[in-house]
């Protein structure tokens, strides 16, 4: 008989926690919130800037402050969940996410909003790694495959839905809150999530708790900050000296992190990112593929929001709703993913990349032909095809990455995966976003958009090539 734990029960060594339907819904809700909030501000930034009299560099910090603290602390959040209990960290992270969302919504000026957003990212880093770790530890076999498929579908849908929801909320101006509603909406959702989590999420933790790797944590944080901070802030700040010094320091910080982790592993201690974990073929190759996919995904979402509002003159609602075909196609096709993988294996990911490439090419052609009259109707064919292709990649890819990770290291594995994804999402906004904005003054909005979409198309070609090296089948244990 399987017993589901709460904070008031004690699990014997023989008891296996089980994640039921309500518990799965609850942790997926916790997974959706941070991803929605990464993208929800894209269409709200013009309104935030006007209301708080914020300059472009400060508005960049509203986005990057969240992304940086989120990415830097994710692996640590996964390790602490393994150590002290994933359910407790999930509850604590969700409560903190609600409080910091309230602080964002009530921020009286731009700098306090930046601080609140950084704190919100830290709360997300405590909550999100526990989702995948709980799924890994409290499910198995086909139930785990289904849960991972739903997690991947939730992740992809949340990124698109966040931008749509942001536009709707800003335009609705609920009770005169304007842009603040994009943050305040989290508060009642978090309250519901806490009630459900207390009832339905089982407690899991590593059977052999591993202490926090202090040097590794610091060096990982330094490495990520050295790379992401200048890339996200450099263009808006005019590329001052500190950005170049930071980029020059990145390879040394990354090498120092690897050296410390390898030494800890050889000495029998447990590093923050165990090299033995990276030795897993499915995890290593999946992470390599996740990077260009996520860069292209987030870069596109940022660029299309700017192009539709500043170039095509659409309001926040039409700009957000223009992506509805992508969201709907992603949702419908992602439901078919597990069945297709069962029949065709991981070649479904390759097919998804090819389909996405067709969709992006159609959107580039629509932008070139229809500009400046570019809206939902013109983007519909390309957006729907691209969404279908993305749905055949992301959910399956996340499942591949964690397929061979032992349950005892579920928190570490999920932390590494989500850190890679989040860092790549931030890189997408920084690289493709900076490319687009730098091209606009000289080439015009239409040519800048088309050029950026063609660069994304090259990135998709890379993901297709890399997908051919994935294991043909997905391990289940």
């Amino acid at each position: 008989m399987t017993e589901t734990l709460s904070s008031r029960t004690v699990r014997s060594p023989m008891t296996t926690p089980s994640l039921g339907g309500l518990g799965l819904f609850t942790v997926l809700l916790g997974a959706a919130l941070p991803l929605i909030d990464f993208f929800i501000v894209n269409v709200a930034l013009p309104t935030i800037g006007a209301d708080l009299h914020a300059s472009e560099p400060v508005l960049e910090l509203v986005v990057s402050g969240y992304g940086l603290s989120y990415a830097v602390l994710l692996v640590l959040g996964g390790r602490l969940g393994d150590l002290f209990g994933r359910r407790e960290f999930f509850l604590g992270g969700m409560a903190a996410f609600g409080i910091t969302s309230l602080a964002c919504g009530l921020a009286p000026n731009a700098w306090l909003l930046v601080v609140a957003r950084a704190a919100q990212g830290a709360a997300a880093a405590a909550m999100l790694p526990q989702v995948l770790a709980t799924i890994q530890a409290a499910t198995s076999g086909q139930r785990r495959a289904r849960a991972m498929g739903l997690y991947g579908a939730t992740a992809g849908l949340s990124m698109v839905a966040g931008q749509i929801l942001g536009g709707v909320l800003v335009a609705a101006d609920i009770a005169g809150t304007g842009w603040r509603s994009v943050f305040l909406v989290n508060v009642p959702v978090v309250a519901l999530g806490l009630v459900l989590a207390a009832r339905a999420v089982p407690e899991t933790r590593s059977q052999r708790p591993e202490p926090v790797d202090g040097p590794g944590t610091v060096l990982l944080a330094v490495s990520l900050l050295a790379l992401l901070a200048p890339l996200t802030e450099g263009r808006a700040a005019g590329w001052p000296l500190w950005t170049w010094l930071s980029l020059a320091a990145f390879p040394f910080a990354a090498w120092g992190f690897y050296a410390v982790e390898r030494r800890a592993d050889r000495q029998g201690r447990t590093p923050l990112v165990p090299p033995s974990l990276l030795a897993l073929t499915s995890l290593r190759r999946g992470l390599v593929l996740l990077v260009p996919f996520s860069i292209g995904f987030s870069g596109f979402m940022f660029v299309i929001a700017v192009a539709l509002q500043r170039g095509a003159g659409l309001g926040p609602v039409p700009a957000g709703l223009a992506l509805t075909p992508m969201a709907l196609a992603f949702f419908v096709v992602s439901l078919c993913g597990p069945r297709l993988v069962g029949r065709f294996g991981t070649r479904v990911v390759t097919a998804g990349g090819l389909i996405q490439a067709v969709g992006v090419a159609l959107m580039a052609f629509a932008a070139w032909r229809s500009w400046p009259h570019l809206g939902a109707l013109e983007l519909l064919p390309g957006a729907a095809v691209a969404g279908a292709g993305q749905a055949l990649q992301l959910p399956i890819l996340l499942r591949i990455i964690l397929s061979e990770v032992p349950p005892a290291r579920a928190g570490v594995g999920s932390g590494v995966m989500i850190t890679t994804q989040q860092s790549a999402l931030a890189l997408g906004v920084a690289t493709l976003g900076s490319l687009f904005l730098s091209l606009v003054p000289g080439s015009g909005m239409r040519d800048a958009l088309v050029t950026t979409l063609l660069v994304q198309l090259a990135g998709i070609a890379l993901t297709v090539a890399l997908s051919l090296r994935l294991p043909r089948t997905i391990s289940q244990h």
Side-chain angles (χ1 to χ4, degrees):
M1 181 177 180
T2 300
E3 179 186 359
T4 299
L5 298 177
S6 71
S7 59
R8 296 179 296 275
T9 61
V10 179
R11 177 161 56 94
S12 69
M14 298 302 294
T15 305
T16 302
S18 176
L19 185 67
L22 184 60
L24 178 60
F25 171 81
T26 305
V27 295
L28 291 179
L29 179 65
L33 285 171
L35 290 169
I36 287 174
D37 260 62
F38 184 84
F39 290 93
I40 201 169
V41 298
N42 280 351
V43 293
L45 284 177
T47 311
I48 294 172
D51 186 40
L52 298 182
H53 309 290
S55 64
E56 186 178 351
V58 175
L59 288 177
E60 292 264 354
L61 282 172
V62 172
V63 178
S64 62
Y66 176 85
L68 285 172
S69 63
Y70 187 19
V72 164
L73 296 172
L74 272 166
V75 176
L76 178 61
R79 173 62 60 84
L80 291 174
D82 285 351
L83 186 61
F84 296 109
R86 294 159 188 149
R87 178 179 181 272
E88 300 306 318
F89 254 76
F90 180 78
L91 285 165
M94 180 173 276
F97 192 84
I99 293 169
T100 52
S101 295
L102 181 62
C104 289
L106 299 179
N109 59 60
W111 282 108
L112 285 177
L113 177 59
V114 170
V115 172
R117 280 283 283 172
Q120 190 187 33
M127 174 174 60
L128 189 57
Q130 319 316 328
V131 174
L132 282 170
T134 299
I135 290 174
Q136 288 289 100
T139 61
S140 60
Q142 286 300 316
R143 290 184 64 244
R144 180 182 296 170
R146 176 176 172 273
M148 285 300 301
L150 288 173
Y151 173 86
T154 300
L157 193 59
S158 296
M159 290 188 264
V160 182
Q163 207 140 306
I164 298 172
L165 182 62
V168 172
L169 288 173
V170 170
D173 194 21
I174 301 169
T177 54
W179 61 267
R180 298 178 186 275
S181 60
V182 304
F183 302 114
L184 296 176
V185 71
N186 291 332
V187 177
V189 177
V190 164
L192 172 64
L194 289 172
V195 172
L196 295 178
R199 291 186 56 188
V201 176
E203 178 63 284
T204 64
R205 69 182 72 202
S206 175
Q207 293 294 326
R208 293 176 291 177
E210 300 161 342
V212 172
D213 173 16
T217 300
V218 171
L219 284 169
L220 178 62
V222 170
S223 301
L224 290 174
L225 285 171
L227 176 65
L228 296 177
L231 289 178
T232 53
E233 285 299 304
R235 187 199 59 82
W239 296 104
L241 179 61
W242 73 264
T243 59
W244 299 108
L245 293 176
S246 182
L247 287 172
F250 166 69
F252 298 100
W255 178 86
F257 171 69
Y258 175 74
V260 166
E261 298 298 274
R262 184 176 58 180
R263 186 182 306 117
D265 206 30
R266 288 176 174 175
Q267 293 175 349
R269 294 182 282 114
T270 304
L272 187 70
V273 180
S276 57
L277 201 62
L278 297 177
L280 298 174
T281 301
S282 56
L283 183 137
R284 185 177 66 255
R285 293 182 179 176
L287 289 179
V288 170
L289 180 53
L290 185 62
V291 171
F293 176 87
S294 299
I295 287 174
F297 200 131
S298 64
F300 167 79
M301 298 296 287
F302 176 81
V303 166
I304 202 68
V306 175
L308 291 178
Q309 290 188 90
R310 297 184 189 174
L314 300 183
V317 171
L321 292 180
L323 297 176
T324 302
M326 179 179 287
L328 292 176
F330 190 102
F331 175 73
V332 172
V333 175
S334 66
L335 298 178
C336 306
R339 190 178 308 164
L340 291 172
V341 171
R343 184 172 180 181
F344 300 106
T346 60
R347 292 298 171 257
V348 172
V349 177
T350 305
L354 294 172
I355 294 170
Q356 184 191 4
V358 173
V360 172
L362 287 173
M363 286 190 285
F365 178 71
W368 177 79
R369 184 189 60 182
S370 304
W371 192 265
H373 307 292
L374 186 66
L377 184 62
E378 292 76 18
L379 289 173
L380 191 154
V385 173
Q390 290 164 346
L392 293 177
Q393 295 174 84
L394 183 61
I396 300 165
L397 189 56
L398 300 183
R399 183 177 156 197
I400 290 170
I401 291 170
L402 294 179
S403 62
E404 295 179 326
V405 176
R409 286 185 165 178
V412 177
S414 61
V416 169
M417 184 187 77
I418 302 169
T419 298
T420 302
Q421 182 187 27
Q422 182 60 38
S423 300
L425 291 175
L427 276 174
V429 175
T431 53
L432 291 181
S434 294
L435 172 66
F436 171 74
L437 293 173
S438 65
L439 289 174
V440 168
S443 304
M445 190 73 75
R446 184 195 75 168
D447 290 349
L449 176 58
V450 172
T451 300
T452 306
L453 289 175
L454 292 178
V455 171
Q456 184 192 357
L457 201 57
I460 296 172
L462 176 61
T463 66
V464 170
L466 291 171
S467 69
L468 297 174
R469 301 191 66 222
L470 291 173
R472 295 299 297 268
T473 59
I474 301 176
S475 171
Q476 294 185 17
H477 60 272

